[in-house]
Amino acid sequence: MNIVITGSTQGLGSGYAREFLKRGHNVMVSGRKQASVDKAVSDLRRVAPAGVRVAGLPCDVSRIEDVQALWDASVREFGRVDLWFNNAGYARTGVTFLETKPTELAAMVRSNVIGTMNGCQVALAGMKAQGGGGWIYLTLGGGAKGRVVPGMAVYSSTKRALKYFADCLIKETRGTQVRIGTVSPGINITEGMLREIEEVAPAARARMLKPLNLIGDHVETTTPWIVDRILAGRESGHDVTWLTGGRMMKRLFASMFRKRDVLSRYGLKA
């Protein structure tokens, strides 16, 4: 299978790329800067099995011409694209709406909403043209199902919008060979999250860190499970959700006997 992952030079995207490669699938990675793409490709080639290919291209998903160039480069490299994974996104959480800078608000809408829509439009057109269809995955997350959490007003609004958009795509592609899936990866401690934590004021930081030992995860914990379930998808509308109610209940029960700690690895303490 030939797979394109946007926003895959670090964090969850890099984790997904690594897991797809380990399972024998070719991967095209992307990020905003050439240097980060080059490093990611170099690192991933070290773990790719013999004969499995990895390539990369800089891409700003908010620019439709960049997204089209990513599709075209992937087709040149692999011959076709079987799975397009819209992973690129930007988050600024842990602050109120009023504390969110206009530049941060615009970045979240451009990357999370417009970027995902650009990816879906290019991939949908490309998959219909190439024949044989394919899978398009959208990344959801906090707020997508309507849960309201203070400090996530803009970010969660973008994810709620993507849930509606995904539901529309599922209906609009019915009867075609293009299938739509969604991924809710939970709360992962990534470079982006560490940046968010660093940027909030000390008092807000303490509130932000408090629940992370219970709900947070390392990238290498979630990505193998998520990738296996993506590859097991058969019908359009396939949803992969990591932090389910059942998983959360198990953690709450286990926390009565032993404290869970995911923060100390990063020099953080709740």
Side-chain angles (χ1 to χ4, degrees):
M1 186 180 289
N2 304 315
I3 298 166
V4 180
I5 310 172
T6 65
S8 46
T9 58
Q10 61 179 6
L12 276 167
S14 178
Y16 296 139
R18 186 178 298 266
E19 295 302 324
F20 279 121
L21 287 169
K22 286 165 62 177
R23 288 156 179 75
H25 303 286
N26 300 321
V27 175
M28 174 70 77
V29 298
S30 75
R32 292 171 63 92
K33 297 180 180 179
Q34 184 71 59
S36 65
V37 171
D38 292 343
K39 184 180 186 306
V41 170
S42 176
D43 291 345
L44 289 168
R45 281 178 176 163
R46 295 191 187 100
V47 302
V52 179
R53 289 179 286 169
V54 56
L57 191 77
C59 177
D60 178 347
V61 294
S62 69
R63 294 166 48 89
I64 190 71
E65 57 269 34
D66 281 17
V67 180
Q68 185 64 58
L70 180 60
W71 173 275
D72 294 342
S74 302
V75 172
R76 286 195 301 272
E77 181 72 25
F78 302 137
R80 62 176 287 118
V81 174
D82 301 298
L83 190 152
W84 180 282
F85 195 159
N86 292 287
N87 173 72
Y90 176 73
R92 179 71 166 103
T93 62
V95 293
T96 66
F97 174 70
L98 192 59
E99 293 168 325
T100 305
K101 298 174 184 176
T103 53
E104 295 167 338
L105 189 158
M108 281 185 270
V109 173
R110 281 199 308 269
S111 184
N112 301 353
V113 180
I114 296 173
T116 297
M117 289 183 172
N118 283 343
C120 290
Q121 192 165 61
V122 166
L124 183 55
M127 286 176 180
K128 286 187 172 183
Q130 74 184 2
W135 276 95
I136 300 173
Y137 273 87
L138 295 79
T139 301
L140 303 182
K145 295 181 179 178
R147 182 167 178 252
V148 176
V149 179
M152 297 180 66
V154 180
Y155 176 77
S156 291
S157 293
T158 66
K159 294 302 181 178
R160 184 66 168 160
L162 288 181
K163 175 65 169 69
Y164 181 91
F165 177 58
D167 290 343
C168 287
L169 282 185
I170 292 166
K171 291 192 174 184
E172 289 188 4
T173 55
R174 188 171 293 160
T176 75
Q177 290 183 297
V178 178
R179 288 163 289 181
I180 308 298
T182 54
V183 173
S184 295
I187 310 298
N188 289 257
I189 315 298
T190 63
E191 295 90 339
M193 173 166 279
L194 293 173
R195 167 189 53 77
E196 287 184 72
I197 292 170
E198 183 65 28
E199 289 177 355
V200 300
R205 187 179 306 163
R207 292 194 300 270
M208 193 175 183
L209 290 174
K210 189 174 181 180
L212 284 182
N213 274 330
L214 183 63
I215 64 175
D217 287 288
H218 305 304
V219 168
E220 70 268 22
T221 301
T222 65
T223 51
W225 186 92
I226 290 170
V227 165
D228 282 342
R229 277 146 189 83
I230 287 174
L231 293 173
R234 293 294 178 265
E235 300 296 330
S236 193
H238 182 225
D239 176 66
V240 179
T241 296
W242 167 257
L243 195 56
T244 61
R247 196 185 298 274
M248 192 66 208
M249 289 299 294
K250 288 179 181 178
R251 288 187 182 180
L252 286 168
F253 180 75
S255 69
M256 297 168 63
F257 304 97
R258 190 174 77 172
K259 183 180 178 182
R260 189 170 181 268
D261 178 18
V262 298
L263 292 176
S264 58
R265 177 195 291 190
Y266 312 99
L268 299 171
K269 185 176 180 180

